[in-house]
């Protein structure tokens, strides 16, 4: 784990606040209020005087600012892979991110598509277009298994919502930095009320958590395979031929990062029926051009990276929480481990 030192109080006190020009005026005013100083544009030209530390809020970090002057960068996005892949990260700089209610939004996206599939919405829509009347069987989601890759904030939010609908949730953890320990089962506090679907003590969002190297059996049992994984050097192409070969008719839903999926392997699995359907909110290359082969994948729906759009309120609330933690000498919960990439 890469540990970045917290900004020193005296350095933070004199840091200049730079914000991306794309940010809404109301959000900028709130950032100014929290930080107690006026904001300046985050641009490619390094501001003067050259010795003043910088506190930046935005989507990208210009090359000119990738120096030891950078004290803290708060990303307005949850995914920080574009920031970290654009060049070496300044070693002393704290990196935090925005999550806000993104987990809630993405969980509802996942549940919406799961319910649509189980209620035969695609088939009924196609029948409507043909003015065709035919009863179709539907499916209950309670009691079925969802395999959720990623046991952090977003994966846990997906697990909680699906669990509340009676779905058995199995989390797949690549590391134990966040979320429960692989192999952990949902617990019950002695003397507590009878358990209801939802998070258990110490196992937020999941009935069971397994390690990434032990997911073969879970893939074979899953009705839905859901990815919330970030993009790192370890997760690029994570869903490849071997994992899709273990699937037995599950629907694949990706709300994490597109490049975590080998699209050729997914296509093969869709065509031979191992993957029943695919719902892809993210793609390796975005936006997909009209002639991109992804539009011709069988039984696949592609949405426009919209499952977890960040609202200005999310940025304001999370920046304020990080500011409160830093000024109190605590490491913010939204700190990014730049070595791991999340």
């Amino acid at each position: 784990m890469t540990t970045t030192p917290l900004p020193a109080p005296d350095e933070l006190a004199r840091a200049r606040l730079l914000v991306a020009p794309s940010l809404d005026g109301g959000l900028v005013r709130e950032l100014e209020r929290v930080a107690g100083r006026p904001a300046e544009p985050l641009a490619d030209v390094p501001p003067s005087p050259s010795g003043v530390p910088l506190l930046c809020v935005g989507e990208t970090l210009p090359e000119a600012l990738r120096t030891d002057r950078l004290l803290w960068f708060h990303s307005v996005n949850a995914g920080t892979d574009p920031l970290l892949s654009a060049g070496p990260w300044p070693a002393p700089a704290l990196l935090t991110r925005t999550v806000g209610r993104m987990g809630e939004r993405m969980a509802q996206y996942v549940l919406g598509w799961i319910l649509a599939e189980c209620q035969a919405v695609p088939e009924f829509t196609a029948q409507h277009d043909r003015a065709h009347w035919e009863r179709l069987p539907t499916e209950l989601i309670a009691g079925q298994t969802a395999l959720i890759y990623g046991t952090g904030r977003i994966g846990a939010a997906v697990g909680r919502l699906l669990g509340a609908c009676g779905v058995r949730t199995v989390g797949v953890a690549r590391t134990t930095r966040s979320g429960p320990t692989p192999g952990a089962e949902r617990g019950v506090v002695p003397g507590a009320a009878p358990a209801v679907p939802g998070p258990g003590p110490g196992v937020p969002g999941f009935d069971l958590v397994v390690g990434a190297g032990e997911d073969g059996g879970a893939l074979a049992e899953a009705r839905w395979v859901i990815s919330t994984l970030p993009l790192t050097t370890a997760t690029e192409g994570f869903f490849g031929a071997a994992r899709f070969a273990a699937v037995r008719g599950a629907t694949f839903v990706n709300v994490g990062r597109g490049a975590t999926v080998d699209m050729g392997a997914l296509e093969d699995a869709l065509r031979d029926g191992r993957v029943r359907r695919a719902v892809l909110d993210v793609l390796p290359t975005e936006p997909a051009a009209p002639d991109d082969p992804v539009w011709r994948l069988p039984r696949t729906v592609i949405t426009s990276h919209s499952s977890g759009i960040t609202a200005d309120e999310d940025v304001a609330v999370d920046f304020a929480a990080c500011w409160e933690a830093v000024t109190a000498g605590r490491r913010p919960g939204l700190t990014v481990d730049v070595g791991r990439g999340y």
Side-chain angles (χ1 to χ4, degrees):
M1 179 175 180
T2 304
T3 302
T4 304
L6 292 176
D10 60 328
E11 292 285 280
L12 186 59
R14 66 190 189 94
R16 297 173 72 170
L17 174 63
L18 307 184
V19 302
S22 60
L23 300 189
D24 179 78
L27 172 58
V28 172
R29 287 189 292 275
E30 180 60 15
L31 297 176
E32 291 177 324
R33 186 195 69 77
V34 171
R37 68 205 72 192
E40 304 170 59
L42 176 60
D44 291 326
V45 180
S48 298
S50 60
V52 178
L54 306 175
L55 164 59
C56 303
V57 181
E59 307 98 341
T60 59
L61 178 63
E63 181 63 32
L65 302 185
R66 289 179 180 266
T67 70
D68 58 8
R69 292 182 61 192
L70 182 65
L71 193 67
W72 174 9
F73 189 100
H74 182 78
S75 171
V76 299
N77 298 315
T80 56
D81 46 286
L83 272 169
L84 296 176
S85 63
W89 187 256
L94 176 69
L95 176 59
T96 55
R97 64 187 184 125
T98 299
V99 174
R101 300 182 69 179
M102 182 176 298
E104 184 180 350
R105 294 187 183 97
M106 295 172 82
Q108 291 185 16
Y109 173 98
V110 171
L111 177 60
W113 283 106
I114 285 176
L115 290 173
E117 177 181 44
C118 288
Q119 292 301 313
V121 170
E123 291 79 8
F124 279 124
T125 301
Q127 286 189 180
H128 177 90
D129 291 342
R130 303 194 311 272
H132 176 71
W133 178 284
E134 179 185 349
R135 280 187 170 180
L136 297 175
T138 59
E139 187 179 355
L140 295 176
I141 69 172
Q144 303 206 61
T145 297
L147 187 62
I148 303 168
Y149 283 81
T151 57
R153 293 169 181 263
I154 292 171
V158 174
R160 284 193 297 270
L161 186 57
L162 296 185
C165 297
V167 176
R168 176 176 179 264
T169 57
V170 178
V172 182
R174 289 195 55 258
T175 70
T176 58
R177 185 183 74 96
S178 60
T181 303
E185 296 270 4
R186 186 194 305 280
V188 178
V189 178
V196 296
V203 190
F206 305 100
D207 292 301
L208 172 69
V209 176
V210 300
E214 307 159 347
D215 59 348
L219 280 165
E221 297 173 358
R223 175 61 181 82
W224 298 281
V225 175
I226 301 158
S227 175
T228 70
L229 292 179
L231 179 60
T232 68
T233 54
T235 62
E236 186 170 5
F238 184 85
F239 294 97
R243 278 196 166 83
F244 285 126
V247 174
R248 298 292 182 268
T251 291
F252 180 69
V253 182
N254 190 7
V255 293
R257 281 291 188 260
T260 62
V261 179
D262 178 334
M263 296 300 289
L266 174 59
E267 180 175 6
D268 290 344
L270 282 162
R271 295 197 182 281
D272 68 18
R274 281 172 290 142
V275 172
R276 185 179 312 202
R277 299 177 189 271
V279 178
L280 308 176
D281 187 50
V282 289
L283 297 170
T285 301
E286 297 175 358
D291 60 349
D292 192 309
V294 296
W295 296 111
R296 298 188 293 276
L297 289 174
R299 304 181 308 285
T300 296
V301 174
I302 293 170
T303 59
S304 52
H305 204 143
S306 56
S307 65
I309 294 175
T310 306
D312 286 351
E313 179 186 6
D314 296 330
V315 179
V317 169
D318 282 0
F319 178 74
C322 291
W323 179 270
E324 180 181 0
V326 168
T327 54
R330 303 191 312 271
R331 186 165 300 280
L334 292 168
T335 298
V336 176
D337 181 339
V338 297
R340 285 176 168 152
Y342 56 92

